[in-house]
Structure formats: structure tokens, C-alpha cells
Amino acid sequence: MLFASDVVLTEFRGETSIEESAMRDPDYALLLVCDTESAIGETGMIELWHSIARDDYAIVIKGHDGREMLRDAFNSDLKDVVRTISDLGLVLTQLHIAQASSPYCALARDLFLEALEHSGYRQAS
């Protein structure tokens, strides 16, 4: 048996695999959920997923009714993910991490916020 005494296990709540959301590859973990609004006032959400095995990101954009509107996978850089969000003209109204106690999700939040800032997104006062 191998173990490390200072390791913190990262746990994810429900829907931890894109396979459950009809994505082709089952090794994605849900990291972040963003509430969104379009230019014409439609609301929805963006889910940010990550595959550690391939080190790539995927997003799933859903309408306010939970219906999937877009699925974009195999982005190796968060800047590409943010570019897709920006190209759609979406405003992010609130950001939630999938597991509050997960340092992995917290790191993803920080990296995502940095990528948003570099792409011109600004936090409203």
C-alpha cells in the first residue's frame, strides 16, 4: 500500500463526468459553474470541466431551463475557453466552484478569472 500523509483528496459533488452529460469522454471533472446572461437578456449557465488525463478543458452552455445549447471540448488553454464565451457575447453574472473545499476547484477559479481579465472581462462595481 502506498500513501502520503499530507494529501487532501479532491471530491466533486454529482455530475462529475461529462459522460453523464452525453460527452464522449468520461474522465472530465466539473470545476466551475457560471451564471450567464446574453445581450438580449436570456439567462443560463456555463459549466467548466477539466480532464487531468489529457490536460484539456470543456464547457457546456445551458439555457435557464437546463437545456444544453453548446458543448465545446478539447481546449488545452483557458484562453480558448474564454474566447468562445466572449465570441458568444455572454456576460458572467456569478461564479460558483463545484466543490467549495476543493483546492483544485479554487485553483481553477483563480486561473479562469485571470483568463477572463486578460480577455477584457471586467468585474462590475
Side-chain angles (χ1 to χ4, degrees):
M1 176 192 276
L2 299 173
F3 69 95
S5 60
D6 292 329
V7 170
V8 175
L9 181 63
T10 301
E11 296 178 6
F12 298 96
R13 292 186 296 229
E15 306 229 11
T16 58
S17 171
I18 284 186
E19 184 177 50
E20 296 169 11
S21 296
M23 285 298 269
R24 187 177 69 188
D25 296 297
D27 63 334
Y28 281 91
L30 178 61
L31 299 178
L32 305 172
V33 177
C34 299
D35 297 330
T36 66
E37 189 173 317
S38 72
I40 59 172
E42 296 173 315
T43 59
M45 74 170 73
I46 298 171
E47 297 174 343
L48 178 68
W49 299 77
H50 184 247
S51 167
I52 295 174
R54 285 187 307 281
D55 191 27
D56 65 22
Y57 296 92
I59 57 172
V60 177
I61 299 177
K62 296 180 178 179
H64 69 278
D65 59 357
R67 185 173 52 98
E68 190 172 303
M69 310 294 285
L70 173 78
R71 188 183 314 149
D72 183 38
F74 310 117
N75 295 291
S76 61
D77 192 338
L78 275 176
K79 291 175 187 171
D80 294 335
V81 171
V82 170
R83 190 174 304 112
T84 298
I85 294 168
S86 178
D87 288 349
L88 293 170
L90 297 176
V91 173
L92 307 180
T93 57
Q94 193 164 13
L95 178 65
H96 315 273
I97 60 177
Q99 178 67 26
S101 63
S102 168
Y104 183 57
C105 290
L107 175 61
R109 177 199 56 217
D110 295 345
L111 294 172
F112 186 62
L113 289 172
E114 183 179 305
L116 287 169
E117 184 177 332
H118 286 333
S119 293
Y121 275 83
R122 298 289 175 248
Q123 189 169 2
S125 306

